[in-house]
């Protein structure tokens, strides 16, 4: 496995903590330094992390590195997925794309916009639901504001159906699913119904930005949802 506490980016080696040969003792300040550097490579030189978001970042970091003790102290079940919520522009999509890079020794998830999945359903039908209800790792981005799917004249709540399938996978094999949303719990229930909302509680840990979190898109950081 090598040393998972060290990551090389752009010819520089970043240390995320201390590795004793069995596990890494992560240093949050070092992880943030690496994330700043990786963020600039991914999203452009204007990217930066915000001090106001450190509470959310700490939860996400502890979750990604599987620090079970810290997760439980913060009310996070490390065996569930993450539902990252917050207002438009606060940085949800960017963080979910970025945070997976601090643990390159784990299998990464793919970040897929919910609207793209619905577009796919409109073209090919229920095969799309099967494609995303499988054993791969996904983060469904911006759920709850996508259009209703429609194929051959029949409407389908595509993301709702996929979440039901992912819940079954979670119960069968522990496969985790992640998502981002601008909506609150009541809005999600209105969009997907009580049954799906109930499954979402079992499927996800809710990690939320403050509702007054600033819109960071004006800073020219790429893809700040």
């Amino acid at each position: 496995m090598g040393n998972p506490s060290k990551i090389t980016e752009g010819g520089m080696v970043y240390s995320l903590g201390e590795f004793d040969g069995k596990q890494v003792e992560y240093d949050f300040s070092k992880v943030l330094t690496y994330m700043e550097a990786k963020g600039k490579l991914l999203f452009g030189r204007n990217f930066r992390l915000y001090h106001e978001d450190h509470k959310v970042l700490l939860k996400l970091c502890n979750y990604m590195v599987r620090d079970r003790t810290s997760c439980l102290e913060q009310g996070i079940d490390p065996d569930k997925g993450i539902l990252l919520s917050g207002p438009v522009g606060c940085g949800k999509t960017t963080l979910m794309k970025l945070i997976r890079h601090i643990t390159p020794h784990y299998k990464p998830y793919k970040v897929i916009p919910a609207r793209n999945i619905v577009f796919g359903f409109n073209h090919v039908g229920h095969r799309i639901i099967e494609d995303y209800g499988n054993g791969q790792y996904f983060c469904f981005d911006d759920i709850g504001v996508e259009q209703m799917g429609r194929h051959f004249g029949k409407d389908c709540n595509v993301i709702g159906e996929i979440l039901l399938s992912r819940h079954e996978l979670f119960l069968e094999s522990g496969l985790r699913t992640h998502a981002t949303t601008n909506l609150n719990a009541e809005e999600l229930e209105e969009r997907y119904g009580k049954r799906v909302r109930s499954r979402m509680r079992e499927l996800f840990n809710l990690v939320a930005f403050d509702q007054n979190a600033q819109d960071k898109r004006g800073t020219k950081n790429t893809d700040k949802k």
Side-chain angles (χ1 to χ4, degrees), residues 4 25 28 31-32 46 60 64 71 81 108 117 124-125 133 140 143 147-148 151 157 167 173 182 196 214-216:
E25 184 73 28
F28 184 53
V31 173
L32 290 181
N46 290 306
L60 293 176
M64 290 303 299
C71 281
I117 298 174
V124 303
F140 300 120
I143 67 170
Q147 297 294 315
M148 183 71 72
H151 185 67
N157 194 327
H167 178 261
S173 64
N182 301 329
V196 173
Q214 71 178 91
D215 186 333
K216 304 174 181 73

Side-chain angles (χ1 to χ4, degrees), residues 10-177:
M12 290 190 64
V13 178
Y14 294 87
S15 173
L16 307 187
E18 299 297 328
F19 182 53
D20 64 6
K22 294 183 178 179
Q23 62 184 19
V24 178
E25 184 73 28
Y26 286 91
D27 182 322
F28 184 53
S29 64
K30 292 181 178 180
V31 173
L32 290 181
T33 298
Y34 167 71
M35 288 177 64
E36 284 264 12
K38 184 64 174 179
K40 291 181 187 301
L41 290 173
L42 291 173
F43 308 117
R45 60 186 178 85
N46 290 306
F47 174 86
R48 68 185 180 93
L49 299 174
Y50 292 79
H51 187 269
E52 67 183 70
D53 298 335
H54 278 195
K55 186 176 179 180
V56 169
L57 283 165
L58 181 59
K59 288 183 178 181
L60 293 176
C61 287
N62 284 331
Y63 175 85
M64 290 303 299
V65 304
R66 303 184 184 177
D67 184 336
R68 301 186 74 88
T69 300
S70 295
C71 281
L72 294 175
E73 287 174 354
Q74 294 174 316
I76 294 175
D77 183 342
D79 296 322
K80 292 184 179 183
I82 292 290
L83 175 61
L84 185 59
S85 73
V88 173
C90 68
K92 299 182 298 296
T93 303
T94 300
L95 288 187
M96 290 307 289
K97 288 182 175 179
L98 177 60
I99 199 76
R100 57 188 172 177
H101 291 283
I102 67 174
T103 51
H105 50 296
Y106 294 145
K107 185 176 180 180
Y109 51 83
K110 298 177 182 178
V111 179
I112 310 292
R115 65 180 182 276
N116 290 7
I117 298 174
V118 175
F119 291 155
F121 175 87
N122 294 343
H123 286 288
V124 303
H126 283 80
R127 195 185 80 206
I128 286 291
I129 295 175
E130 296 172 6
D131 288 346
Y132 289 102
N134 63 21
Q136 297 186 60
Y137 292 91
F138 293 112
C139 174
F140 300 120
D141 186 37
D142 215 12
I143 67 170
V145 295
E146 74 281 355
Q147 297 294 315
M148 183 71 72
R150 190 170 180 82
H151 185 67
F152 282 114
K154 293 185 177 181
D155 290 339
C156 179
N157 194 327
V158 179
I159 299 301
E161 291 297 324
I162 289 173
L163 290 174
L164 290 175
S165 296
R166 300 294 297 186
H167 178 261
E168 290 180 9
L169 280 172
F170 173 68
L171 295 180
E172 292 169 1
S173 64
L175 184 73
R176 286 170 293 192
T177 302

Side-chain angles (χ1 to χ4, degrees), residues 193-221:
K194 289 186 178 181
R195 181 175 176 231
V196 173
R197 178 61 187 136
S198 174
R199 303 298 189 274
M200 290 175 71
R201 290 189 185 97
E202 296 180 27
L203 194 58
F204 296 122
N205 293 284
L206 177 62
V207 177
F209 281 87
D210 188 285
Q211 285 305 304
N212 296 317
Q214 71 178 91
D215 186 333
K216 304 174 181 73
R217 292 171 302 180
T219 61
K220 299 181 182 179
N221 288 353

